[in-house]
Amino acid sequence: MTSVQTLEEGRGAWLIDGYVLVEDGPEAESIITGRTGAPMDKERARKNTIAWEILSAHNRNEGEDRDENLKIRFDKLTSHDITFVGIIQTARASGLERFPMPYVLTNCHNSLCAVGGTINEDDHVFGLSAAKKYGGVYVPPHQAVIHQFAREMLATGGGMILGSDSHTRYGALGTMAVGEGGPELVKQLLKQTWDVKRPEVVAVWLEGEPVKGVGPQDVALAIIGEVFASGYVKNRVMEFVGPGVENLSADFRIGVDVMTTETTCLSSIWQTDDRIREFYEIHGREGDYKELRPGDVAYYDGLVRVDLSAIRPMIAMPFHPSNVCTIDELNANPEEILAEAEDRARVSFGKDVQFSLRDKLADGKIRVDQGIIAGCAGGGFENICAAADILKGHDIGNDAFTLSVYPASVPIYMELIRNGAAAEILETGAILKTAFCGPCFGAGDTPSNNAFSIRHSTRNFPNREGSKIQNGQIASVALMDARSIAATAANRGILTPATAFDGEFRGRTYHFDAEIYKNRVFDSHGNAETGTELVLGPNIKDWPEMVKLTDNLLLRVVSEIHDPVTTTDELIPSGETSSYRSNPLGLAEFTLSRKDPDYVGRAKAVYAEEKKRRENAPFASMEASVAAAAETIRREYPDVTPENTGIGSTIYAVKPGDGSAREQAASCQKVLGGWANIANEYATKRYRSNLINWGMLPFLIPEGDLPFKNMDYLFLPQIRQAVLDKQEEISAFAVQGDKLVPFTLKLGDLTDEERQIILDGCLINYNNTLLQAAG
């Protein structure tokens, strides 16, 4: 078999006693009956997965539909410093008095406080004051990246954690974790629930053992390359089982698990064993371990088979983690593969942008400019120790190539110092840096123009490493495992797989120093000092007022994006914009700036007319195009008035929302007057949820020729009533001259709560309504 294979869509698999795998089909019943002595019961077997055991234990729906429509209360929450300010400000506007569960505020994104004057450090000071006031935990900058702290201090067997970062994945430790936009954490803080239809569960069957030189990123990229494009695990839970699991260390499993986000799955969970028990013991938390296994007969809605022994060092070429091949394949055929990557780039950048990868070829070899081992994926103890073993006795040279290594936490850093790995890395000419997520999103180690960077981090989307296409600056990131990055560094920048390393990996033992956190992390232990004043820097702003959904809508299309996928990095760039995450209007100035620089001006122009409407201005007094569109509409809908018809903007994108959980991808559109998105498909649940929580209509339209174009006006009559009535199809019209051209939109499945949030205008309004109703 190839290293990773999936069953055809719609076909599942049975797992008996945790080790006998039976693909669903005509022969399955006789096999299962023969082994178990009982007839097949698919529905009962679905509830024998690890995922269902955990979800069911956290489901607060007591209705007849409890098994289908889940209402989940999480055990713990975690956020970092480009999300927690907005979350707390939103919850505060809705009556927050104290954190009802452990909530950890880490500071690993806006750590470079030289960027943006005092802005970033103001957010940190706010976070500490909030942890004191509401009873939370505050992890200062450079102590730990968000997910490493959660692994070390928060994960529990059978628990659930919700984080406002898309890579919230702790399944290898037996914790089902979910990354969502900030409003979903607000709901938990206000004792509401995370509402989701019962997800399907896909078995990820591991067999074999990785060969020497293959690391967790190689396994992860092989899986992503197989399942992403087909959407095989989209919004499903990936459950890792099989005999190959026991051949992987805890760190190795963690490194694979964190990358499951790039498959667009909903969450992940693994069977646990003594290696995971040992992880908890090392961290002084043996009582938090729980053995997790599927039931005697479990049924899975899909199957991904992974032969660990067949995987070789991988590389994800720019500009997506799914653009994978082996490093050996790339080195054997560099011209063709580099040319394919250049062609893919032109889809996002256009023909006018000068972009080249083939100039990295010299004498038939690929020369890399930069190596990075960092963050929640690359900065683990075993990854860095393996890199040190490969680098030992070598140097990275004094030419253009550079190597930076970021341990994921101070305890890891301390152990690297104690065991000598830090010295071995530093003496090569590489640099060791503090726990920081910056390289993953363009705020640290930004490469030079047209540079080629290889990284053991989570993503390699366009612009994510710090490029500014609108300024003519562009660089490329490829994803690789720390081992092959080290092998390349030892070869002074010539792309090299770690399987070429002929030395030995020493397998050093990790010792966790708990005193480091005890000495520096603020932990309220749930005690809220309600009299504490929040420290609000001048860039920390409240959310602007948002109005309820009007009876009708007049929308103007202000951006039209035909890329196969639009990432959240393109909707609201990361990097230096992170300094404005606590300032809704300030951050909104960057919306779509690297994808459609005209968007902000167009959206503002539409919003100016909406502001006139709210001041009771007649259509005739508005900008000429609005007046003309209203005149055309009123010929067939004479009851349409400024009082009952909101004016807003919308964007069209084929498949928006891949990537980050950042709510700002939606909220920035909202504060600029956005009222909807129109898409053929939403890349992730979390982006669609962000739209809904900010009162935006998540419209769907079939693939094919659009009935409108950029800058057209769209009219949606009686849209409020359509939402109230739960209409599956929404009547819409494109205003084209003096004609209304009809077409149909859909909203997809919405819970009653989600509909009400849209009707109220946003989650803040929804919660304030609940508060008022409660007196």
Side-chain angles (χ1 to χ4, degrees), residues 166 179-181 184 235 561 566-569 571-572 591-592 599 651-653 655-670 676-679 681-694 696-698:
S166 57
E180 280 277 12
E184 291 300 328
N235 292 335
I561 305 170
T566 304
T567 69
T568 47
D569 283 88
L571 292 164
I572 182 66
T591 313
L592 280 168
Y599 166 82
I651 68 169
Y652 165 79
K655 189 178 179 180
D658 188 22
S660 170
R662 67 188 70 157
E663 65 181 278
Q664 294 91 349
S667 66
C668 284
Q669 296 177 55
K670 178 69 173 185
N677 273 195
I678 302 174
E681 177 186 356
Y682 291 97
T684 58
K685 174 198 174 294
R686 54 185 173 268
Y687 177 67
R688 184 174 181 270
S689 294
N690 284 335
L691 292 174
I692 293 166
N693 285 324
W694 285 105
M696 299 179 70
L697 294 148

Side-chain angles (χ1 to χ4, degrees), residues 104 181 366:
V104 176
I366 298 173

Side-chain angles (χ1 to χ4, degrees), residues 667-746:
S667 66
C668 284
Q669 296 177 55
K670 178 69 173 185
V671 300
L672 290 175
W675 231 316
N677 273 195
I678 302 174
N680 300 137
E681 177 186 356
Y682 291 97
T684 58
K685 174 198 174 294
R686 54 185 173 268
Y687 177 67
R688 184 174 181 270
S689 294
N690 284 335
L691 292 174
I692 293 166
N693 285 324
W694 285 105
M696 299 179 70
L697 294 148
F699 287 129
L700 292 165
I701 194 168
E703 293 183 27
D705 293 337
L706 293 175
F708 55 80
K709 61 183 182 301
N710 205 19
M711 300 306 291
D712 275 358
Y713 283 99
L714 310 179
F715 176 57
L716 283 67
Q718 300 178 347
I719 181 61
R720 184 176 180 87
Q721 194 62 45
V723 174
L724 277 168
D725 292 344
K726 304 182 182 180
Q727 292 180 16
E728 292 186 12
E729 296 189 343
I730 306 297
S731 297
F733 298 89
V735 184
Q736 297 179 352
D738 60 355
K739 296 180 180 178
L740 293 180
V741 180
F743 65 99
T744 300
L745 295 167
K746 291 187 176 182

Side-chain angles (χ1 to χ4, degrees), residues 86 89-90 541-546 584 663-664 667 671 694 764:
Q89 287 286 75
T90 302
K541 304 291 187 183
D542 292 331
W543 293 101
E545 181 184 2
M546 300 172 200
E663 65 181 278
Q664 294 91 349
S667 66
V671 300
W694 285 105
I764 295 173

Side-chain angles (χ1 to χ4, degrees), residues 425-747:
I425 290 169
L426 288 170
E427 66 187 5
T428 69
I431 299 297
L432 274 174
K433 300 186 177 180
T434 57
F436 177 41
C437 297
C440 189
F441 63 89
D445 276 301
T446 303
S448 63
N449 186 54
N450 208 42
F452 187 33
S453 177
I454 54 173
R455 303 186 176 196
H456 193 156
S457 59
T458 54
R459 290 197 174 117
N460 60 337
F461 295 163
N463 309 314
R464 191 167 175 96
E465 78 299 322
S467 294
K468 292 186 178 181
I469 305 304
Q470 71 276 19
N471 293 346
Q473 299 167 328
I474 184 170
S476 306
V477 164
L479 300 182
M480 288 169 42
D481 188 82
R483 293 150 190 79
S484 291
I485 293 172
T488 300
N491 207 5
R492 296 188 173 185
I494 300 298
L495 189 67
T496 305
T499 44
F501 170 59
D502 59 4
E504 293 300 320
F505 292 109
R506 282 171 278 180
R508 299 178 235 212
T509 301
Y510 181 63
H511 304 91
F512 176 73
D513 187 345
E515 292 301 311
I516 292 170
Y517 290 149
K518 289 179 182 177
N519 292 338
R520 190 69 192 101
V521 172
F522 171 80
D523 188 348
S524 71
H525 301 287
N527 298 314
E529 300 175 11
T530 55
T532 300
E533 292 292 328
L534 290 177
V535 182
L536 298 168
N539 192 58
I540 298 176
K541 304 291 187 183
D542 292 331
W543 293 101
E545 181 184 2
M546 300 172 200
V547 300
K548 294 182 178 181
L549 179 65
T550 50
D551 293 340
N552 315 300
L553 278 181
L554 177 61
L555 301 177
R556 193 168 201 183
V557 183
V558 293
S559 187
E560 185 179 348
I561 305 170
H562 290 275
D563 291 3
V565 179
T566 304
T567 69
T568 47
D569 283 88
E570 292 168 308
L571 292 164
I572 182 66
S574 52
E576 82 282 5
T577 63
S578 300
S579 295
Y580 297 92
R581 293 291 177 87
S582 306
N583 183 341
L585 293 175
L587 182 64
E589 294 290 332
F590 297 94
T591 313
L592 280 168
S593 59
R594 297 182 191 173
K595 189 66 187 174
D596 185 354
D598 294 329
Y599 166 82
V600 171
R602 290 170 174 169
K604 282 184 171 181
V606 177
Y607 196 29
E609 305 308 305
E610 165 65 7
K611 290 176 180 176
K612 293 178 186 176
R613 181 196 75 83
R614 295 181 190 178
E615 295 171 357
N616 301 315
F619 286 130
S621 70
M622 296 183 187
E623 192 267 332
S625 64
V626 175
E631 184 178 351
T632 298
I633 292 166
R634 283 169 57 82
R635 291 195 191 104
E636 294 191 35
Y637 292 88
D639 293 336
V640 166
T641 67
E643 288 77 18
N644 62 25
T645 305
I647 302 170
S649 58
T650 188
I651 68 169
Y652 165 79
V654 174
K655 189 178 179 180
D658 188 22
S660 170
R662 67 188 70 157
E663 65 181 278
Q664 294 91 349
S667 66
C668 284
Q669 296 177 55
K670 178 69 173 185
V671 300
L672 290 175
W675 231 316
N677 273 195
I678 302 174
N680 300 137
E681 177 186 356
Y682 291 97
T684 58
K685 174 198 174 294
R686 54 185 173 268
Y687 177 67
R688 184 174 181 270
S689 294
N690 284 335
L691 292 174
I692 293 166
N693 285 324
W694 285 105
M696 299 179 70
L697 294 148
F699 287 129
L700 292 165
I701 194 168
E703 293 183 27
D705 293 337
L706 293 175
F708 55 80
K709 61 183 182 301
N710 205 19
M711 300 306 291
D712 275 358
Y713 283 99
L714 310 179
F715 176 57
L716 283 67
Q718 300 178 347
I719 181 61
R720 184 176 180 87
Q721 194 62 45
V723 174
L724 277 168
D725 292 344
K726 304 182 182 180
Q727 292 180 16
E728 292 186 12
E729 296 189 343
I730 306 297
S731 297
F733 298 89
V735 184
Q736 297 179 352
D738 60 355
K739 296 180 180 178
L740 293 180
V741 180
F743 65 99
T744 300
L745 295 167
K746 291 187 176 182
L747 277 173

